[in-house]
Amino acid sequence: MPTIALLSSVADMRHLHQAFQEEFPEARLRMGDDLGALCEIDAAVCWRPPPGLLARMPNLALIQSAAAGIDHLTSDPTLPDVPVFRIIDPAMAFGMASYVCWAVVHRQRAMADYLAHAQAHVWKPRRLEPPQQHGVGIAGLGTLGLACAQALMALGYRVRGWSRTPRSAPAGLQAFHGDAQRDQFLSGCDTLVCLLPLTPETMGILSRDLFERLPRGAHLVNVGRGAHLVEADLLSALDDGLLRAATLDTFVEEPLPPAHPFWHDPRITVTPHIATATSPVVIARQTRLNLERLRQGNAQAAAVDLKRGY
Ligand code: NAP
């Protein structure tokens, strides 16, 4: 009967309790201030766990990220040397695809203007820019990026993607990879969607240097991590017309502080890290499955490659 700690320094992990009871009833759960003896903990399910805590669990055998990303774990220099797993969930990809389609359509079709006109009872149609004339680039062609690319192609957008290594792309998707093809990829992105993992290579990638390589007046959608974006560079790129608009779901500081300039800028749409979410049932199921893999000695293939960083 495994003992599992549910750990977070920012979220109330009690929302996972019922799902674990249903999906993994034999697990003994520990959370909050009531972790008991740390030497009894076999596995930890984490969303931004308190730094240093995992290293104090001498018999920890498995770390399960409660999210698709693992940057909230690898940022802890004391992370113990045990297998780390992340959530891979098609339902989560649908959530992300619907958010990204909304963000692209909202700006490309000037929906904010129409909503403001409707408030004022103004009837003012504009010429429609067909989606085939609008290039959307997805930086990060993984589980989530591919789902977004497919959904956007179904709406008729001209979609391209960028990954670290060559990928077999579905028909109609123009695929680029590596640093050598980055600028060619960026040159066709009227909207750029960031769905990269946060690693030393991608931190601060959404900078002035990158904005200068996009078509002038592009729209930036950041659904990756806040630290992908150099915030000051975004504001100056909007002022200079390099970018026309930004839709941001993730921020270095969350919640975004009330006085932050992004809240007050009509060119920037802010959402509170809601692009998609992991279902508690999936977290409980995947934790159980990964512990099972560990017991059977075949966890390595499913675990995150920490040397790669995502
Ligand atoms: P994934 O399956 O691991 O895919 C990551 C993609 O990024 C891969 O295509 C990878 O290339 C590419 N990549 C990594 N480093 C790169 C680099 N240096 N240059 C170019 N491409 C690079 O990840 P995922 O499950 O799709 O999730 C992506 C990210 O979405 C997560 O890490 C997280 O930050 C974010 N996220 C946000 C929310 C939200 O609600 N806002 C929710 C969930 C996840 P290869 O194909 O060559 O490996």
Side-chain angles (χ1 to χ4, degrees):
M1 197 193 283
T3 300
I4 300 180
L6 308 181
L7 305 176
S8 177
S9 57
V10 294
D12 185 350
M13 298 295 266
R14 277 177 300 189
H15 77 286
L16 297 180
H17 193 263
Q18 193 186 341
F20 268 86
Q21 281 194 326
E22 285 164 12
E23 298 292 329
F24 201 173
E26 63 275 31
R28 267 190 305 250
L29 296 184
R30 305 263 177 90
M31 67 188 100
D33 296 333
D34 194 17
L35 292 178
L38 296 186
C39 62
E40 290 171 5
I41 293 172
D42 301 302
V45 176
C46 306
W47 172 242
R48 300 199 198 174
L53 181 56
L54 293 166
R56 289 169 40 219
M57 301 179 172
N59 295 314
L60 192 68
L62 177 148
I63 299 171
Q64 174 71 58
S65 169
I70 54 144
D71 48 291
H72 62 108
L73 297 167
T74 51
S75 57
D76 180 352
T78 70
L79 186 72
D81 184 18
V82 299
V84 173
F85 296 84
R86 69 188 194 97
I87 298 293
I88 301 176
D89 175 18
M92 194 179 183
F94 288 136
M96 182 58 81
S98 63
Y99 179 97
V100 167
C101 286
W102 162 77
V104 171
V105 170
H106 183 72
R107 285 289 176 182
Q108 189 249 336
R109 301 287 306 270
M111 290 302 178
D113 293 349
Y114 288 123
L115 292 175
H117 294 169
Q119 291 284 319
H121 304 180
V122 172
W123 182 276
K124 199 174 164 191
R126 290 187 186 171
R127 192 187 66 81
L128 173 70
E129 180 203 29
Q132 309 87 278
Q133 288 176 18
H134 189 91
V136 184
I138 314 279
L141 216 41
T143 313
L144 302 180
L146 265 177
C148 294
Q150 271 161 330
L152 287 160
M153 287 194 296
L155 294 180
Y157 287 97
R158 218 174 52 224
V159 183
R160 50 178 54 201
W162 182 59
S163 53
R164 194 175 56 87
T165 56
R167 291 196 67 115
S168 60
L173 175 66
Q174 215 183 344
F176 300 81
H177 68 271
D179 290 342
Q181 293 183 5
R182 190 189 78 143
D183 291 358
Q184 200 190 342
F185 161 72
L186 292 171
S187 68
C189 301
D190 298 309
T191 297
L192 173 68
V193 179
C194 176
L195 261 168
L196 292 163
L198 187 64
T199 65
E201 289 73 42
T202 64
M203 183 161 313
I205 191 169
L206 303 175
S207 65
R208 182 151 193 113
D209 172 69
L210 179 145
F211 301 148
E212 281 169 352
R213 287 153 219 279
L214 295 168
R216 196 170 169 77
H219 172 205
L220 172 70
V221 179
N222 187 19
V223 273
R225 290 285 183 255
H228 283 130
L229 176 66
V230 181
E231 294 190 349
D233 286 7
L234 171 62
L235 292 171
S236 70
L238 287 166
D239 289 342
D240 299 350
L242 277 183
L243 294 178
R244 179 172 55 95
T247 304
L248 308 177
D249 185 55
T250 57
F251 304 88
V252 172
E253 192 178 348
E254 294 180 2
L256 191 65
H260 196 288
F262 289 173
W263 285 118
H264 309 287
D265 194 320
R267 301 165 299 184
I268 300 177
T269 302
V270 169
T271 55
H273 202 144
I274 47 76
T276 192
T278 327
S279 120
V281 167
V282 171
I283 295 172
R285 250 182 230 158
Q286 293 197 7
T287 304
R288 179 186 199 140
L289 174 70
N290 290 329
L291 272 166
E292 191 59 40
R293 285 174 166 145
L294 200 66
R295 220 184 346 266
Q296 293 169 352
N298 59 7
Q300 222 44 46
V304 175
D305 177 355
L306 290 178
K307 275 198 220 82
R308 200 181 64 158
Y310 64 97

